[in-house]
Amino acid sequence: MAKLESLGIKGLESVHWYVHDLERSRRFYVDGLDFAEQGVSSPQLEKEGRQKSAVFQAGNVVLVVSQPVGEGGRAWRFLRKHPDGVGTLNYQVEDIDKTYRLLEQRGATFITDIQRHTDDKGGKLAQFSITTPFGDTTFRFIQRDGYKALYPGFVQHDKPRGGNNRYGFTHIDHITSNFQTMKPMLLWMEHVMGFEKFWEIQFHTDDVAAQQKRAHGSGLRSEVVWDPVSRVKFANNEPLRPFFKASQINIFNEDHRGDGVQHLALVVKDILTSVKQMREKAGISFMPTPGTYYDALPQRIQDLGIKKIDEDIQVLRDLEVLVDGAGEHSYLLQIFMKDAASLYKDPGAGPFFYEIIQRKGDQGFGGGNFRALFESIERQQKSEGRA
C-alpha cells in the first residue's frame, strides 16, 4: 500500500479516563504519583454532560478523569459495560479541516462533526470525535488557536493543587492495548489513520515451553504501530495459541469486558530514584520479578549486545527494574505497576496498569522483558484464581 498523507497529528494531548470514584483517582494521582490538579469541570458542564471531571498533570502527561453524575452521560455509558478505563484519546492536530477531510475519505466513522468554540479572549478551539476498533475507546482530534482552557467548560484553578512531579514524569511513551484479534485494528490504523509498522514480537511463557508436562501457559503476539510525524506509538497485543483462553491477554479482555487500553508507559528522567521514592513515599506496588531474572542478567546484557550498563545490578534487583536493549550501551529500563484492581483492592477499578520507562538510547519495547512481565502477570492471576 502506498504511504498515506499525514493526518497532521502534532501529539497526544491528553488521555480521558472514566471511573466510578473520582476522589479515589484524585488521591492516587495527587498523593500517590505527585501529579498536580489543574482544574475541574464547571457546574454547567457537569449538568449538561452528566459527569464531573478533574484534570491532573505531571510534565506533559495530562489526564482527564470523569465520574458519572446520574445516568446518560458518556462516563455512565462506558462504565455500564466496563470497569474503570481509558475512554478517549485526544490528539492535537495542525489543521482540523484537513484531518477531517482525510478521515472522511478513508471511511472513518464520525461521532460528531467539527465543533468550534471561541473563548472570551478570542482564542479558538475546533474538535471532532470518531469511533475506533479499540473497544469503546474513541479518538478526538483538536486544533487550538490561542484557546487556553483544556476543553469548553473547564475551570482552571488559580494555582495548581497538590503535587510537584517529584518523580520526574516527562511524557507518555506509548499506549498499549489488548485485543482478542488485532488484525482489524492494525488494518484500520494503517488504512484510516495512516500509521506504520514499527516493531513486532511473539512468544509464550515458560509454561508453554513445558507444555508436554503442563496444560497451561500464556502467550501473545504483539505489533507496534506509529505515526512517524508525531511519533505517537501504539503497542498492540492478542492471545497466542495453544492456550488462548489462559493467555493473560484474553484474561485482560474478560476482566475489562472487551478490547481496550491495557497500559500507558510514562517516561521518567531517573527511574531508579523514581521507583525507590514511589515505593517508600507513596507505597506504590509493582509487578514482582523473580530473582532468577537478575541471576541471568549479566549474561543477557552481553547476549543482547548492550555489553555494559551504568546501573548496579544489585540495585536493579532490589527495585525489580527490568533491562532490555539491542546495541552497545543502548538500552532501556522499565517496571510495571500492579493493575488498578490490585492497587485499590477493587475489581471495579479494572485491569489497567502503568509502565514506568527510562530510555537510554534504545527505542525498542523491551522484547525480552515482555516474557518477564507476562510471566509475572500470569503468576498474579493464578494466585487470585483468575487463571
Side-chain angles (χ1 to χ4, degrees), residues 231-362:
R231 304 182 70 82
V232 171
K233 297 184 183 73
F234 283 85
N236 310 285
N237 306 316
E238 69 177 8
L240 188 62
R241 66 179 187 277
F243 304 122
F244 181 99
K245 291 188 178 299
S247 167
Q248 69 86 22
I249 303 299
N250 182 62
I251 293 171
F252 169 93
N253 191 282
E254 292 177 348
D255 290 345
H256 184 68
R257 298 193 288 279
D259 299 338
V261 176
Q262 180 206 44
H263 75 265
L264 299 177
L266 307 182
V267 177
V268 293
K269 299 173 183 176
D270 179 355
I271 193 170
L272 300 187
T273 300
S274 297
V275 170
K276 186 174 188 294
Q277 290 183 349
M278 283 184 210
R279 290 185 184 277
E280 293 176 353
K281 296 181 182 297
I284 300 294
S285 299
F286 295 89
M287 297 299 297
T289 305
T292 51
Y293 175 90
Y294 298 96
D295 295 340
L297 189 55
Q299 185 58 51
R300 188 161 168 269
I301 289 170
Q302 299 304 312
D303 294 343
L304 289 169
I306 300 171
K307 296 186 179 179
K308 183 181 179 181
I309 62 173
D310 301 326
E311 294 74 22
D312 185 295
I313 289 179
Q314 184 59 48
V315 174
L316 296 176
R317 182 192 294 265
D318 292 343
L319 295 175
E320 298 184 294
V321 171
L322 307 171
V323 182
D324 208 87
E328 186 170 356
H329 206 249
S330 178
Y331 59 99
L332 62 84
L333 302 163
Q334 62 190 160
I335 192 169
F336 303 86
M337 290 185 195
K338 288 189 175 181
D339 65 24
S342 299
L343 289 176
Y344 293 136
K345 296 179 174 56
D346 174 15
F352 176 94
F353 59 88
Y354 281 106
E355 171 184 351
I356 310 299
I357 185 170
Q358 180 185 356
R359 293 191 180 275
K360 304 190 74 169
D362 184 76

Side-chain angles (χ1 to χ4, degrees), residues 11-16 64 88-92 140-142:
L12 182 68
E13 179 178 276
S14 62
V15 175
H16 198 153
V64 183
T88 305
L89 298 173
N90 300 312
Y91 305 90
Q92 275 204 43
R140 176 175 293 156
F141 302 90
I142 302 165

Side-chain angles (χ1 to χ4, degrees), residues 53-199:
S53 307
V55 175
F56 307 99
Q57 182 170 0
N60 290 320
V61 181
V62 180
L63 307 174
V64 183
V65 184
S66 297
Q67 173 188 325
V69 176
E71 298 182 353
R74 164 72 167 134
W76 177 80
R77 295 195 305 274
F78 182 92
L79 294 170
R80 277 194 310 168
K81 299 171 66 177
H82 307 284
D84 295 359
V86 173
T88 305
L89 298 173
N90 300 312
Y91 305 90
Q92 275 204 43
V93 297
E94 297 172 351
D95 183 340
I96 197 83
D97 295 291
K98 174 185 173 182
T99 304
Y100 188 97
R101 173 176 52 82
L102 290 174
L103 287 170
E104 188 172 41
Q105 290 172 357
R106 298 171 191 174
T109 303
F110 291 84
I111 299 171
T112 66
D113 290 328
I114 298 175
Q115 301 168 327
R116 302 182 189 274
H117 307 271
T118 304
D119 63 22
D120 56 6
K121 295 184 180 180
K124 297 179 181 179
L125 178 143
Q127 61 183 8
F128 68 88
S129 298
I130 64 173
T131 62
T132 76
F134 289 75
D136 289 302
T137 300
T138 60
F139 286 2
R140 176 175 293 156
F141 302 90
I142 302 165
Q143 181 184 345
R144 294 180 180 277
D145 295 293
Y147 194 97
K148 299 302 182 184
L150 188 62
Y151 53 84
F154 172 69
V155 180
Q156 184 89 22
H157 293 321
D158 293 335
K159 182 180 179 181
R161 299 175 182 175
N164 295 300
N165 194 20
R166 71 159 65 100
Y167 305 124
F169 296 114
T170 60
H171 62 282
I172 294 174
D173 185 87
H174 60 273
I175 304 108
T176 296
S177 300
N178 287 352
F179 304 85
Q180 286 202 312
T181 175
M182 69 179 176
K183 191 65 173 180
M185 180 280 306
L186 293 174
L187 290 170
W188 184 87
M189 290 294 281
E190 177 186 4
H191 291 270
V192 177
M193 293 290 291
F195 278 48
E196 301 173 8
K197 181 185 289 190
F198 184 83
W199 185 87

Side-chain angles (χ1 to χ4, degrees), residues 4 22-23 101 212 245 372:
L4 295 180
L22 178 57
E23 187 56 40
R101 173 176 52 82
Q212 282 86 7
K245 291 188 178 299

Side-chain angles (χ1 to χ4, degrees), residues 223-234:
E223 185 167 320
V224 178
V225 295
W226 77 325
D227 172 42
V229 176
S230 65
R231 304 182 70 82
V232 171
K233 297 184 183 73
F234 283 85

